Amino acid sequence: MSESKAMILGCAGTTLTDDEIALYKAERPWGFILFARNLQEPQQIKDLVAAMRDAVGRPDAPVSIDQEGGRVQRIRPPMIEKYPSAQVLGDIYRSDRDKGLRAAWLMSRLHAFDLMKLGINVDCLPVLDVPVEGASNVIGDRAYGFDPVTVAEMGKAAAEGLKAGGMLPVMKHIPGHGRGMADSHHELPVVTVSRKDLEAHDFRPFVAMKDELMAMSAHIVFTALDPERPATTSRKVIDEIIRGTIGFDGLLLSDDSSMNALKGTLGERAANIVAGGCDIVLHCNGVMEEMKQVVAEVPLLAGEALRRAKAVEAGFKTPDSADEAAIRAEFWSLLPAS
């Protein structure tokens, strides 16, 4: 079997085009990501996921999605019920810690029930960012709370629920997006607090969950760490902070390379992500001309990146024998009446 390239790609629509199939076959992305534009109805999603895996000749290729709940839920009613935001779960935790942790676990276990039926085996969850007052709303109610302990404990419960259901989580957005005063989808946030403050607040949930198999980077400049480059393309931040101070040795995915926080052509961005030390370049929007630029700059998985990718592939476990109807009923019983 051919080796995979160090990238995760999207596609444009609800079925693969001949050009997309040809690109995947030739360039062999390690995995794929789905967005709302790709999702019409359950059988179509299953067929699309199967076609992606078939194109790279790997029936176990990771297929990921952002299915958080709240405003970041790619598969919505009527296909999948509408789930609450992390903030709502955090509110339960703040009134009853055990109940909040159980709610986080249950919701993730339900995500796994929903997504595994469709062939999707990676959920880009939990959000471990710890917002501060006045930060951009890009995180906002996607966060479990405003303190690192709440975020770490709820994030851990959420990750465990996914794994119980046979899925793998991706922690977001290491080393922390909570202080961003701008939305990195549109512009580059710059965080100017001291390293000491970052270690005491922003890094702590990631330290608590450093043994997870995957994390996604933050497109943020931390002036105390590297005033020149956002974390995603900063060798200093990735080596010293993410791998060193935080101690994360799992597979590091870039956040989406098409986001406007990054500068340069898509090819230049991909090259900078690789040079910075990310293991995987993520490209989400399915635009063919952009994907062609990305694939030209991304290497085959090798060395430490290959070791980490293999650890992910070996990390998928058989789902537990939980009863879906019982889990669903228990989860909604914990939610406040709307």
Side-chain angles (χ1 to χ4, degrees):
M1 193 195 315
S2 301
E3 294 167 288
S4 300
K5 275 195 170 181
M7 59 192 178
I8 290 172
L9 299 179
C11 67
T14 53
T15 57
L16 295 184
T17 65
D18 291 344
D19 284 349
E20 286 167 344
I21 293 169
L23 182 84
Y24 296 163
K25 281 187 170 171
E27 301 294 343
R28 305 184 302 284
W30 178 73
F32 300 95
I33 189 163
L34 299 173
F35 280 80
R37 66 176 182 274
N38 309 128
L39 313 166
Q40 209 164 37
E41 53 88 21
Q43 188 58 51
Q44 168 269 322
I45 299 171
K46 284 194 266 193
D47 291 344
L48 176 60
V49 168
M52 287 172 150
R53 289 179 170 136
D54 184 58
V56 292
R58 287 166 45 235
D60 58 348
V63 176
S64 55
I65 196 166
D66 295 293
Q67 191 80 349
E68 296 173 11
R71 59 196 158 98
V72 180
Q73 180 175 327
R74 307 298 184 207
I75 311 181
R76 293 175 174 265
M79 281 190 283
I80 288 176
E81 62 191 333
K82 185 80 182 78
Y83 291 106
S85 67
Q87 180 181 301
V88 170
L89 301 185
D91 288 343
I92 299 172
Y93 173 99
R94 281 178 278 281
S95 64
D96 183 328
R97 175 177 172 271
D98 289 344
K99 198 184 272 192
L101 294 174
R102 181 66 177 163
W105 188 94
L106 289 166
M107 189 164 97
S108 283
R109 187 65 189 84
L110 291 174
H111 287 323
F113 277 121
D114 296 335
L115 298 171
M116 290 284 282
K117 292 171 191 167
L118 304 172
I120 300 166
N121 59 355
V122 174
D123 193 357
C124 300
L125 178 84
V127 175
L128 296 185
D129 305 309
V130 189
V132 295
E133 294 295 343
S136 162
N137 193 42
V138 67
I139 300 300
D141 65 3
R142 297 168 67 192
Y144 295 108
F146 284 85
D147 69 285
V149 173
T150 298
V151 172
E153 290 198 341
M154 291 291 281
K156 187 76 177 165
E160 293 301 325
L162 289 176
K163 290 186 284 188
M167 298 191 71
L168 285 178
V170 179
M171 304 182 288
K172 299 191 290 202
H173 302 84
I174 199 167
H177 205 302
R179 291 182 193 270
M181 297 295 167
D183 181 345
S184 53
H185 292 86
H186 305 298
E187 57 186 307
L188 178 62
V190 177
V191 170
T192 57
V193 300
S194 70
R195 175 167 173 167
K196 184 179 172 189
D197 286 345
L198 292 169
E199 288 186 11
H201 183 87
D202 305 58
F203 299 171
R204 281 176 63 194
F206 296 101
V207 172
M209 294 183 65
K210 66 182 182 185
D211 294 330
E212 296 298 332
L213 292 172
M214 285 183 281
M216 184 182 292
S217 70
H219 292 337
I220 289 190
V221 168
F222 298 92
T223 57
L225 309 178
D226 182 346
E228 303 294 320
R229 283 169 291 276
T232 299
T233 60
S234 170
R235 176 64 70 174
K236 190 162 188 241
V237 173
I238 290 172
D239 286 357
E240 282 187 31
I241 304 301
I242 294 175
R243 301 300 188 194
T245 303
I246 290 173
F248 174 68
D249 187 40
L251 192 72
L252 183 60
L253 286 53
S254 76
D255 203 346
D256 183 9
S257 57
S258 61
M259 286 163 62
N260 289 327
L262 301 182
K263 295 289 176 272
T265 66
L266 266 293
E268 289 164 348
R269 295 178 193 186
N272 290 339
I273 289 167
V274 172
C278 275
D279 298 312
I280 297 283
V281 177
L282 177 62
H283 184 268
C284 294
N285 66 21
V287 174
M288 179 58 67
E289 290 312 309
E290 290 190 10
M291 288 197 289
K292 285 178 178 174
Q293 292 182 52
V294 169
V295 301
E297 300 295 337
V298 174
L300 290 172
L301 276 167
E304 289 294 277
L306 178 61
R307 174 183 66 79
R308 295 176 183 126
K310 285 190 177 301
V312 170
E313 291 165 13
F316 292 101
K317 304 294 184 211
T318 304
D320 64 18
S321 56
D323 178 271
E324 181 177 354
I327 296 278
R328 212 168 279 285
E330 184 187 354
F331 174 69
W332 289 109
S333 77
L334 297 178
L335 271 285
S338 52

